[in-house]
Amino acid sequence: MLSDYRKQTLADGEDGAALAARTMEILAQRAGARLEGDRIRFAADGLTAAVTFPVLDGPRFQTAVRLEHPSLFTPLTESAAGAAESGEEKAELAAQQILYSVLDAWLPALRKRGVSMPAVELWGQTHRFLASASSLSLQGIGEPPGGRDLWSRMSALVMPCLGSQSFYGVKLFLAQVGDEVSSEVRINGWPVPELAEPLAALAGQWPRDGQPLRSAKQYVVLAQDPDTRVVCPYTWKGARDLARRAIALFESGMEPDQLLETLLDEAAVPELAEDVFNFLPEQMAGIFLPDIQVSSQIILHPAQGGGDRRVWFTQCRAWDPIYRAVQDHLRLDRPGRDQILSIVEGSGLRRAAAGALESGGTRERLLLTCSFWIPEGYMLW
């Protein structure tokens, strides 16, 4: 039962905590889960979910659900949006969106239900996945051209972007807003712009029919076969903490060679030190060069010679915790310009952008690619 306080705040439609609590009550009841404080636990599956409302603007709202599971390398946060007048209507709509999109894919995946997908070959290892797709979530009247299954159109593009993690959550989205179309593909919360173009084309083929807004969304979970999983030698927190340590070393003015040696001494494995040393300046530079396009693929140059290797950043486990360390630094430490430049000056993206602009290029037309040297024996986790 709702407390009197929650009833009142839901009636007012302004209290995000009460709204989240009511949403989780609805979810727990309909999904056969139980409430534990500020989260829901799906006991048989090991999954927990916590709901928040980061945006409440009159009838408009955005809800976020944070998912945690022992086999997830990092907690995942998925979002949805909608509009409703009352607090109870918002909670009901938010619960429906979470249940019939995110959980509709996650719960079967955790119960080892899904469709076998073509194997992914990465760094000399084979990874096999089962795909569990949610039903298509629609706003507006009518379904997109070709039917209600976006995953069947997109799977051949998405699969090569997967790596060695046990689970990947994929969000497929397309929309028409007036005369404009938009699309998005996210893998474990990260947008991959190169993959979104087919969905944009599909949105453009959707008959207008005079509707101001139409959208389609599908959520897919790729669960790796336990026989092909690898045990990563470091944790998400360990990678983030090493990145935070690297930020301090960069800002201290330490010479790059010495900085890398220090990270190698402190890292769980050498590859983590290499990734932190390489990715950190590029991610910091990317934040301060937002109008320049950066490829979602990374080029790795073996120091011992041989052909270059291209990987998607979504295949690099360290990418996410390093990015979070950068965000934490900017938000919590509020570094000054000189501190930021001490990191950004080591960025190949920054140097490439500066060179292209000096040669007469324009920011809007630049497409840059991150590239790094890797030592002999390097392993991509």
Side-chain angles (χ1 to χ4, degrees):
M1 296 292 291
L2 286 176
S3 67
D4 290 340
Y5 170 74
R6 266 195 222 158
K7 288 179 182 177
Q8 181 60 50
T9 52
L10 277 179
D12 295 341
E14 295 179 349
D15 189 292
L19 198 53
R22 176 57 180 150
T23 302
M24 287 192 288
E25 286 178 344
I26 297 171
L27 276 174
Q29 181 181 24
R30 295 184 184 172
R34 68 173 185 265
L35 284 170
E36 292 184 354
D38 61 351
R39 67 187 57 212
I40 310 166
R41 180 172 295 278
F42 301 86
D45 307 294
L47 183 72
T48 63
V51 176
T52 57
F53 281 80
V55 176
L56 282 172
D57 182 14
R60 294 175 54 253
F61 69 85
Q62 182 185 39
T63 183
V65 56
R66 178 182 169 92
L67 303 172
E68 297 187 47
H69 186 273
S71 294
L72 279 173
F73 182 67
T74 177
L76 300 181
T77 299
E78 302 296 341
S79 63
E85 291 301 325
S86 71
E88 183 66 18
E89 290 171 330
K90 288 186 178 75
E92 177 71 29
L93 180 56
Q96 286 182 8
Q97 292 197 18
I98 295 169
L99 184 61
Y100 296 118
S101 59
V102 178
L103 294 179
D104 195 24
W106 268 103
L107 295 180
L110 291 169
R111 295 163 190 171
K112 300 180 180 178
R113 301 173 194 162
V115 177
S116 294
M117 302 304 297
V120 175
E121 302 293 334
L122 178 65
W123 223 257
Q125 295 182 319
T126 299
H127 303 282
R128 292 190 295 272
F129 294 88
L130 292 180
S132 170
S134 75
S135 54
L136 193 67
S137 176
L138 292 166
Q139 288 192 50
I141 300 172
E143 60 189 39
R148 303 175 67 90
D149 182 16
L150 301 179
W151 175 241
S152 63
R153 301 183 185 93
M154 297 298 298
S155 61
L157 294 176
V158 172
M159 292 302 298
C161 300
L162 305 186
S164 64
Q165 293 190 44
S166 299
F167 291 97
Y168 289 89
V170 178
K171 178 182 176 181
L172 307 172
F173 175 81
L174 60 94
Q176 285 183 357
V177 182
D179 293 330
E180 301 293 326
V181 300
S182 63
S183 62
E184 187 176 66
V185 175
R186 287 180 175 264
I187 298 178
N188 279 0
W190 283 91
V192 187
E194 294 91 331
L195 302 186
E197 294 175 8
L199 293 180
L202 189 64
Q205 298 165 13
W206 206 343
R208 304 287 178 179
D209 298 336
Q211 295 188 57
L213 168 64
R214 286 196 300 198
S215 69
K217 178 175 64 176
Q218 189 173 29
Y219 196 81
V220 186
V221 173
L222 284 305
Q224 187 169 173
D225 186 328
D227 290 339
T228 67
R229 293 180 187 177
V230 298
V231 177
C232 183
Y234 60 83
T235 64
W236 185 93
K237 182 179 181 301
R240 185 200 58 190
D241 291 348
L242 189 68
R244 290 281 280 168
R245 167 72 168 144
I247 288 171
L249 296 176
F250 272 108
E251 292 182 346
S252 73
M254 182 179 289
E255 289 297 319
D257 289 347
Q258 184 183 354
L259 195 158
L260 178 56
E261 285 300 321
T262 301
L263 295 179
L264 287 167
D265 287 342
E266 298 182 10
V269 288
E271 291 87 354
L272 178 57
E274 296 282 350
D275 288 349
V276 168
F277 181 76
N278 287 327
F279 296 166
L280 181 57
E282 307 306 336
Q283 292 190 356
M284 184 71 84
I287 291 170
F288 292 95
L289 297 171
D291 51 348
I292 291 176
Q293 296 184 71
V294 179
S295 171
S296 298
Q297 289 190 300
I298 296 169
I299 301 174
L300 301 176
H301 308 285
Q304 69 275 21
D308 294 341
R309 306 178 73 165
R310 284 181 175 264
V311 298
W312 295 85
F313 79 93
T314 51
Q315 296 177 300
C316 306
R317 285 185 192 247
W319 190 267
D320 182 81
I322 294 170
Y323 179 81
R324 302 303 167 190
V326 170
Q327 292 293 317
D328 288 347
H329 181 55
L330 296 175
R331 179 175 55 88
L332 300 174
D333 305 331
R334 299 184 178 277
R337 182 176 181 275
D338 289 344
Q339 291 172 287
I340 292 171
L341 288 177
S342 68
I343 302 174
V344 172
E345 68 182 6
S347 163
L349 288 179
R350 181 198 64 79
R351 293 191 295 272
L357 294 173
E358 289 173 4
S359 300
T362 61
R363 288 177 176 267
E364 295 77 14
R365 300 185 59 144
L366 290 183
L367 175 60
L368 304 179
T369 301
C370 293
S371 62
F372 310 109
W373 290 100
I374 54 172
E376 185 175 0
Y378 174 89
M379 177 69 184
L380 182 70
W381 293 102

